[in-house]
Amino acid sequence: MSDREVERLERQLQRIEKELPVRAARTLRWLREPSSRWVRIPVGILAIIGGLFSFLPILGIWMLPLGLLLLAQDIPPLRRPTRRALLWCEQWWLKRKRKRMANGT
């Protein structure tokens, strides 16, 4: 994986951080720091497992992408697909937002 791919993923994660509530953004920023690697990997694995058990209360399918996002920081083969998925979600969200504004909803 090139440094360019890592930089692109970092920029996307920073854009996501700006949209999150302050407390969640602070937690995400801390988890993304290199020194948090030993916390980030187990949390990512647990989030993926929690996403697989989304039929249980509290746990949800939202945990699956969160876990992949955290693991992509440390596992190079996950970076490109994660970055592409983030880009697709961001484009979908903006398109949806524009459509709602055009409809006046």
Side-chain angles (χ1 to χ4, degrees), residues 3 12-13 35 86 97 103:
D3 289 335
Q12 283 182 294
L13 291 172
S35 62
L86 284 174
K97 202 173 177 181
N103 292 336

Side-chain angles (χ1 to χ4, degrees), residues 8-100:
R8 286 178 179 171
L9 181 61
E10 282 297 316
R11 282 195 306 266
Q12 283 182 294
L13 291 172
Q14 287 171 355
R15 282 197 305 263
I16 290 171
E17 257 182 39
K18 289 178 185 177
E19 298 297 322
L20 291 174
V22 175
R23 194 170 181 182
R26 192 178 324 134
T27 303
L28 181 61
R29 193 175 314 117
W30 178 76
L31 280 171
R32 290 180 43 230
E33 290 179 6
S35 62
S36 300
R37 181 178 189 183
W38 299 111
V39 174
R40 182 174 53 243
I41 293 172
V43 168
I45 291 169
L46 288 173
I48 289 171
I49 292 169
L52 296 176
F53 291 103
S54 62
F55 58 89
L56 296 172
I58 300 175
L59 303 176
I61 197 74
W62 61 270
M63 296 177 78
L64 190 60
L66 175 64
L68 290 172
L69 182 70
L70 291 173
L71 289 179
Q73 293 286 116
D74 300 304
I75 302 173
L78 286 177
R79 289 182 188 150
R80 182 174 283 167
T82 302
R83 187 181 63 78
R84 286 183 178 168
L86 284 174
L87 187 59
W88 180 84
C89 289
E90 186 177 19
Q91 289 171 348
W92 176 83
W93 182 258
L94 291 173
K95 189 178 183 181
R96 183 175 176 258
K97 202 173 177 181
R98 277 189 229 114
K99 188 183 254 186
R100 288 181 67 190

